[in-house]
Amino acid sequence: MPTESQYPNVPIPDIDLWAFLFERKDKPFPDNKVIYLDPYTNRSYTYADVKSTAIEFGMGLKALWDWKKGDVLALYSPNCIDTPAITWGCHWAGGVLSPANPGYTVDELAFQLKDCGAKALVTQMPYIENARLAAKKVGIPEDRIIVMGDQRDPALKVKHFTSIRNLSKSSRYRRTKMEPSEDLAFLVYSSGTTGHPKGVMLTHRNIVSNTLMIKAGEAGKLSWEGGPTGDGDRILAFLPFFHIYGLTCLIHQAIYSGLRLIVMPRFDLEHFCRFVQELKVTFAYVVPPVVLLLSKHPIVEKYDLSTLRMLNSGAAPLTKELVEALYARLKVPVKQGYGLSETSPTTHTQPWEDWQRKVGSVGTLLPYQTAKYMSEDGQEVPVGQVGELWIKGPNVFKGYWNNPEGTAHAKTEDGYFKTGDVGYQDEDGHFYITDRVKELIKYKGFQVPPAELEGILVSHPNINDVAVIGVYDKEQATELPRAYVVPAGGLGKGEREAAEICEWLNSRVANHKKLRGGVRFVDEIPKSVSGKILRRVLKTKALEEEKAKSKL
C-alpha cells in the first residue's frame, strides 16, 4: 500500500499566490517587519515595501506593455532583494516568472527565452551584455530589458525596474485574478538527460501547497524546539533564487512566516561566517559541499557561529560522516530534506528530533503527500526493498512546457510523478534515496545533463566518441562531470590533449557544467545493443581507477 503523510492535512485555500501572501487575515507579524535584507548595502524591504513595490511594478507592466494573463517574464540574475517584489509584481499582472541561471552563456539563455516565449527580461548590470545578445537572438526588443539591483544603466538605454510603473496612476488597472489549479506561477527549467532543459510548469496551487507543507514540516510533530519562526529567526540565504529550492524554501517561506532573510548573491564561506556572527543568524538552508566546508575549513575558526541552531541540507545526498563532522566541530545539528523541481520542490524532511537517529534519511512525507517505491515492471515493492520513488500530491507540477510526450512519460494517469530516484523506506516511514534512474550529474546541487555535454564534445574535430559521467569527489562532497573520450586518429592521449579538450568545452558552457572531473581517453565507449551508453561500466571503471590511485 502507498505510504500516506502522517501530518494533518490542513485544507489548502483555493486562492492564487498574491491572495495567499498579501490578502491573508492571519498574518502573525506587522506590515513594517523587515523581511529581506542585503547585508552588503543594508538595503531592505519590509512586508509592506514588497507589497507596494510589487503593485507598482505590476501596474507598470500593464500600463507600458499591455501585460496579459500568461505572459512570461524571464529573470536572469544572481540573488537580489528586488527579486521578490518583481516576482509578485509579475503575478499581480497575471504573468508567469521564468528564472534563469545567471551563469548561462548567451546560447543557453537564448534557448530558455525562446522556449518559454518570454515577453521581457530582467537582469542586473554585470549581466547586461549577455542579456542583450540573448534577447536579440530571440527577438526581444532592447526596451523590454529591465535592470534591478543597485546599479543602473549609465547610458539610460535600459530602464531600472523602479521606472516600470503606471505613470498615469490610472485606477483602471486591476490585479489579474488567476485560476490557482490551472494558471502558472513559474516556469522553472530542469535539465533532462536528453539534452536541453525542460520547462517545468508550476501552478499557483503548487506553490501555495508547498509553502504550507514546508511550514508544517518546520513546525512538525515535534519534541524538539523546531524550525524557524517569525519570532526572531534570521535565515542566511545564498541558495540561488533561480533554483526551486531557493525560490520556495527561502523567498516564499520568509514572507509567509515573517522570517528575516539575509540575502547573499552567491555563497562565499568567509562572508557566510561573518554574517552569521555579525547579524546573529539562527538558521540556513545549505547543500552538502557547504556542510563539508563548515566542518573542515580553517577559516571557520575565526568566527563565532554559536547563534546557528540548525541547518537544513537538500539538493543532493548528505552522508553520515558529514553530519557527524559538522556537529563535532560546531555543535550545530543538520537535517536533510528531499524534493524536485517537479514537486515545487519539498516532499520530505527529517523531523527535527530525528536528525541524529535517522542520519542518511531524507525524512518522512510532508502533508498532502502519498508515495510508493516501484519495481521496473511497475509493481509496488514492500518496505525495505529498493525501487523507484513515485509521489502524488497538490504540489506535483502540471507538466512539461510544450512537451506532452515528456509529461505523459513522467506522470501516471492517477497523478503520480515518477521521480527517477531510487531508494527504499524503513518500517518507521523514513525514506532513503540511494541512486538515480536518471543520469543527471549533480554538481553542488546544480543539475548537469551528460547528453548535453556529449553533444557539444562530439562536435570537437579530434573526438570520435564520448561519454560523460559524474564522479564523486570526497574533498568537495559533490559529483564532478568527467568525459571519457575516444580520440580521432592522430590525437595524443596525454595531459596536454586532455587539458585542451577541457578548456574547449568549458568555454562553451555554464560554470557548473565544466569538466571538473577531467578527461580520460579510452579505445571505445561501452554501449548496449540498442546503442545506449552503459554509464555504469564507466562508473565502475572510475571507481577502479580511484582505488588504484589510493594504493600508490
Side-chain angles (χ1 to χ4, degrees):
M1 287 287 292
T3 302
E4 303 275 350
S5 170
Q6 296 305 301
Y7 286 87
N9 285 342
V10 179
I12 302 168
D14 189 30
I15 53 179
D16 63 20
L17 268 171
W18 182 272
F20 176 68
L21 297 174
F22 298 111
E23 295 175 1
R24 58 190 292 205
K25 302 288 188 276
D26 62 342
K27 183 166 63 65
F29 56 90
D31 284 2
N32 66 354
K33 181 165 190 177
V34 171
I35 304 294
Y36 306 106
L37 172 72
D38 182 333
Y40 296 94
T41 65
N42 219 31
R43 192 160 67 91
S44 65
Y45 278 85
T46 64
Y47 174 88
D49 292 336
V50 175
K51 184 176 180 179
S52 62
T53 306
I55 290 172
E56 283 199 350
F57 181 65
M59 278 193 173
L61 290 177
K62 288 194 170 198
L64 289 178
W65 297 334
D66 190 28
W67 204 260
K68 291 185 171 59
K69 185 173 175 176
D71 283 346
V72 176
L73 179 67
L75 185 67
Y76 177 63
S77 167
N79 292 358
C80 176
I81 61 167
D82 297 330
T83 297
I86 285 170
T87 297
W88 295 314
C90 173
H91 290 160
W92 187 93
V96 181
L97 193 86
S98 186
N101 185 341
Y104 273 174
T105 63
V106 170
D107 286 345
E108 289 168 327
L109 176 60
F111 170 81
Q112 182 167 329
L113 294 176
K114 184 177 180 182
D115 192 69
C116 73
K119 194 170 179 178
L121 172 63
V122 181
T123 189
Q124 290 195 59
M125 283 308 297
Y127 303 86
I128 193 69
E129 199 51 42
N130 275 10
R132 277 191 173 115
L133 291 170
K136 188 175 181 181
K137 272 189 171 228
V138 301
I140 296 175
E142 191 169 8
D143 64 4
R144 291 287 178 92
I145 301 173
I146 312 161
V147 294
M148 65 177 183
D150 297 300
Q151 290 179 265
R152 298 179 181 235
D153 182 9
L156 302 178
K157 288 185 177 178
V158 179
K159 287 189 177 78
H160 194 264
F161 88 98
T162 51
S163 303
I164 308 297
R165 55 174 61 142
N166 173 22
L167 296 174
S168 70
K169 299 296 181 189
S170 167
S171 60
R172 71 187 177 90
Y173 296 107
R174 294 278 184 267
R175 178 168 82 84
T176 302
K177 295 293 171 64
M178 311 298 281
E179 174 55 48
S181 297
E182 291 300 319
D183 292 328
L184 303 187
F186 296 100
L187 252 179
V188 299
Y189 275 71
S190 175
S191 297
T193 55
T194 54
H196 282 304
K198 298 191 292 267
V200 176
M201 296 189 287
L202 298 174
T203 66
H204 285 258
R205 182 174 173 81
N206 288 154
I207 306 299
V208 167
S209 62
N210 204 246
T211 304
L212 289 172
M213 288 160 62
I214 293 165
K215 176 78 171 173
E218 299 300 9
K221 308 166 290 181
L222 296 169
S223 59
W224 205 60
E225 62 179 303
T229 70
D231 299 330
D233 270 312
R234 297 166 179 227
I235 299 184
L236 193 51
F238 61 84
L239 293 174
F241 292 170
F242 62 81
H243 189 280
I244 191 65
Y245 187 7
L247 188 64
T248 308
C249 295
L250 295 176
I251 291 181
H252 286 82
Q253 190 197 358
I255 203 159
Y256 186 73
S257 297
L259 307 170
R260 180 166 298 183
L261 204 69
I262 296 154
V263 178
M264 296 172 65
R266 62 188 61 79
F267 181 74
D268 176 282
L269 180 60
E270 184 141 25
H271 291 184
F272 176 99
C273 294
R274 178 163 66 87
F275 294 144
V276 170
Q277 177 178 292
E278 291 177 358
L279 302 174
K280 302 200 180 326
V281 170
T282 58
F283 191 89
Y285 286 89
V286 297
V287 288
V290 171
V291 178
L292 178 74
L293 286 170
L294 290 172
S295 64
K296 291 188 175 181
H297 202 287
I299 226 169
V300 176
E301 297 293 341
K302 291 167 53 182
Y303 295 91
D304 176 6
L305 307 186
S306 60
T307 56
L308 278 177
R309 21 185 214 97
M310 195 86 183
L311 301 177
N312 188 97
S313 182
L318 187 67
T319 64
K320 184 174 187 285
E321 291 76 16
L322 274 183
V323 172
E324 291 174 346
L326 181 77
Y327 191 72
R329 187 182 201 188
L330 298 178
K331 293 297 180 280
V332 176
V334 55
K335 73 183 183 83
Q336 192 167 188
Y338 172 80
L340 309 100
S341 297
E342 289 87 346
T343 55
S344 305
T346 315
T347 60
H348 298 68
T349 192
Q350 276 181 303
W352 293 86
E353 66 269 31
D354 282 339
W355 74 272
Q356 230 166 355
R357 190 171 69 89
K358 294 283 187 178
V359 173
S361 158
V362 296
T364 56
L365 286 170
L366 286 174
Y368 320 117
Q369 304 297 277
T370 305
K372 55 188 177 180
Y373 282 103
M374 303 293 286
S375 66
E376 287 186 18
D377 58 1
Q379 301 300 310
E380 186 177 355
V381 301
V383 168
Q385 287 193 20
V386 172
E388 181 187 0
L389 179 62
W390 291 13
I391 298 173
K392 180 162 68 171
N395 52 306
V396 170
F397 74 134
K398 187 175 182 179
Y400 293 116
W401 180 251
N402 289 334
N403 189 349
E405 187 180 338
T407 303
H409 182 71
K411 292 176 74 175
T412 65
E413 286 186 11
D414 58 349
Y416 279 97
F417 168 57
K418 304 173 185 179
T419 68
D421 285 326
V422 171
Y424 64 95
Q425 64 174 309
D426 66 18
E427 292 179 352
D428 297 327
H430 279 256
F431 285 66
Y432 295 78
I433 303 298
T434 56
D435 207 343
R436 288 192 293 279
V437 174
K438 298 174 183 176
E439 295 163 344
L440 288 174
I441 300 161
K442 281 203 172 178
Y443 171 70
K444 295 189 176 180
F446 291 104
Q447 295 177 332
V448 182
E452 181 184 349
L453 301 190
E454 287 158 1
I456 299 169
L457 283 164
V458 85
S459 70
H460 190 289
N462 294 325
I463 294 177
N464 275 346
D465 202 359
V466 63
V468 175
I469 63 167
V471 291
Y472 190 78
D473 182 87
K474 287 182 182 176
E475 297 298 314
Q476 298 183 61
T478 189
E479 285 184 312
L480 306 176
R482 175 184 290 172
Y484 283 84
V485 168
V486 178
L491 181 70
K493 297 183 180 181
E495 290 181 8
R496 184 174 62 81
E497 289 84 359
E500 185 273 325
I501 289 170
C502 284
E503 189 177 333
W504 182 87
L505 178 81
N506 293 349
S507 67
R508 288 164 169 76
V509 295
N511 183 57
H512 64 282
K513 298 176 186 175
K514 291 181 177 180
L515 288 177
R516 289 179 169 83
V519 165
R520 301 288 185 274
F521 292 102
V522 291
D523 293 327
E524 63 176 0
I525 301 298
K527 294 180 181 176
S528 67
V529 178
S530 62
K532 184 176 173 60
I533 294 171
L534 299 174
R535 296 185 204 279
R536 67 178 183 275
V537 176
L538 292 173
K539 282 183 174 286
T540 302
K541 182 181 176 67
L543 285 171
E544 287 170 354
E545 289 172 1
E546 195 61 34
K547 281 179 187 172
K549 195 166 123 188
S550 65
K551 287 178 182 176
L552 293 175

